[in-house]
Amino acid sequence: MSGSQTRAQQTLETADAGGDLAPIDLDASGRRLETFPELLEVLTSAPERARPALATRINELLIDMRMPGHEAEESELVMGALEARVLHELIDTRGRSCRKEAVQTMMACGFPHALLLHPDDLSFARTFVEAPPSDAQAVASADELEPWEAGHRANRTWGAALMGAGQLASVVLSGSDPQVTRRLAAAATLWVLGLAAAMALALTRPKHFNVATFGAFATLLVLAGLLVAMAAGSFALGLAPVGVGLGLFVSISNLYEDRADPPRAGDWDYRPGARDE
């Protein structure tokens, strides 16, 4: 990628003046160029409750864009967002305006990029005052689903519904099956564990839900249930593990889709020091 090195030149001048030299990480700048439009795309379909958390991610990225890197390309993306007015009404969980942060990022890009700013945007950035969220708002923000969580919620709900339906169907159809009656303890254990898996899948917040551990448990439950059903020779009893297997498949079907917002501290799959893909 090519672009002016305004911030890089400023960094070198700061170093010559005796200041600390900020590192120029072109790889990080390249990742920002990919992540910023992805976040804006998520924003277009994000529910209202997820927008403050998404705005926080956008503001964090805008602040990172003030580091030396591909100034021309980054300023083009930011200016496009300002002109499209997609950031104008966004306020993040800390009361910061995405529009103001975008203006400050354009200013940090230096000449000639800052000259592209519209006077209305400059005026807004000068006059906007951040309003710190109240305690109630802070609690509400902490409880709001992040964009990636909201994306997984539908799959988790459908997966839990399939698991629960499989257990209930198995219970109803097994009522008149003498093979199941003779193995009632094993069958009841399978049903209870299947319902417990469905409840955990439906009620646990995605960021706190360890999919790897749950997947291992559900897989073992499916295998054990199929063995018990085959030993009993009961199709009805086999519906219980089949429901768990189908529910697991549906719940993780979008797990490996690319995320515009990589795992952060507090997410179950966060790895300290790991680089964003």
Side-chain angles (χ1 to χ4, degrees):
M1 298 179 185
S2 63
S4 66
Q5 292 295 318
T6 303
R7 284 175 290 185
Q9 293 169 355
Q10 293 173 348
T11 300
L12 292 175
E13 292 173 359
T14 301
D16 292 339
D20 294 331
L21 178 62
I24 303 176
D25 191 343
L26 295 182
D27 288 338
S29 179
R31 291 195 297 275
R32 293 194 293 266
L33 291 174
E34 296 177 357
T35 304
F36 188 71
E38 291 175 353
L39 287 175
L40 294 185
E41 183 177 354
V42 173
L43 180 65
T44 60
S45 58
E48 191 64 30
R49 64 180 183 179
R51 293 174 71 85
L54 184 55
T56 300
R57 302 301 306 277
I58 291 174
N59 277 341
E60 291 173 352
L61 190 59
L62 286 169
I63 292 172
D64 289 342
M65 283 181 171
R66 299 168 196 169
M67 296 294 291
H70 300 288
E71 285 82 359
E73 290 84 353
E74 290 179 342
S75 63
E76 182 178 356
L77 288 177
V78 176
M79 196 63 213
L82 285 171
E83 291 176 343
R85 306 177 67 88
V86 296
L87 305 178
H88 278 37
E89 305 300 327
L90 277 183
I91 304 296
D92 70 9
T93 56
R94 295 173 53 185
R96 298 176 299 182
S97 165
C98 287
R99 183 184 182 185
K100 179 177 180 178
E101 295 299 334
V103 170
Q104 291 179 337
T105 296
M106 288 295 297
M107 295 294 291
C109 287
F111 179 87
H113 314 294
L115 297 179
L116 300 174
L117 286 168
H118 193 279
D120 288 345
D121 291 326
L122 289 169
S123 176
F124 175 85
R126 285 194 299 267
T127 58
F128 179 82
V129 178
E130 297 178 6
S134 63
D135 293 341
Q137 290 175 322
V139 172
S141 297
D143 291 338
E144 289 177 349
L145 294 180
E146 296 184 21
W148 73 268
E149 293 183 285
H152 286 307
R153 176 60 77 188
N155 289 64
R156 303 285 170 85
T157 301
W158 280 108
L162 284 172
M163 288 184 180
Q167 311 317 301
L168 295 177
S170 179
V171 171
V172 172
L173 296 177
S174 297
S176 59
D177 191 338
Q179 298 296 332
V180 176
T181 303
R182 286 196 289 269
R183 295 174 174 81
L184 187 58
T189 300
L190 290 176
W191 295 329
V192 170
L193 290 177
L195 289 174
M199 293 180 63
L201 186 61
L203 300 179
T204 306
R205 181 169 177 169
K207 71 181 296 182
H208 300 145
F209 191 73
N210 192 318
V211 179
T213 300
F214 178 79
F217 167 77
T219 300
L220 291 175
L221 184 58
V222 169
L223 294 175
L226 290 176
L227 288 175
V228 173
M230 286 188 292
S234 172
F235 169 79
L237 186 55
L239 291 176
V242 168
V244 172
L246 289 175
L248 176 63
F249 174 77
V250 170
S251 68
I252 66 174
S253 60
N254 67 338
L255 183 63
Y256 297 103
E257 293 179 358
D258 292 337
R259 280 174 50 177
D261 48 347
R264 297 188 298 172
D267 296 355
W268 75 269
D269 52 351
Y270 173 73
R271 298 290 182 274
R275 293 176 59 181
D276 297 340
E277 295 299 333

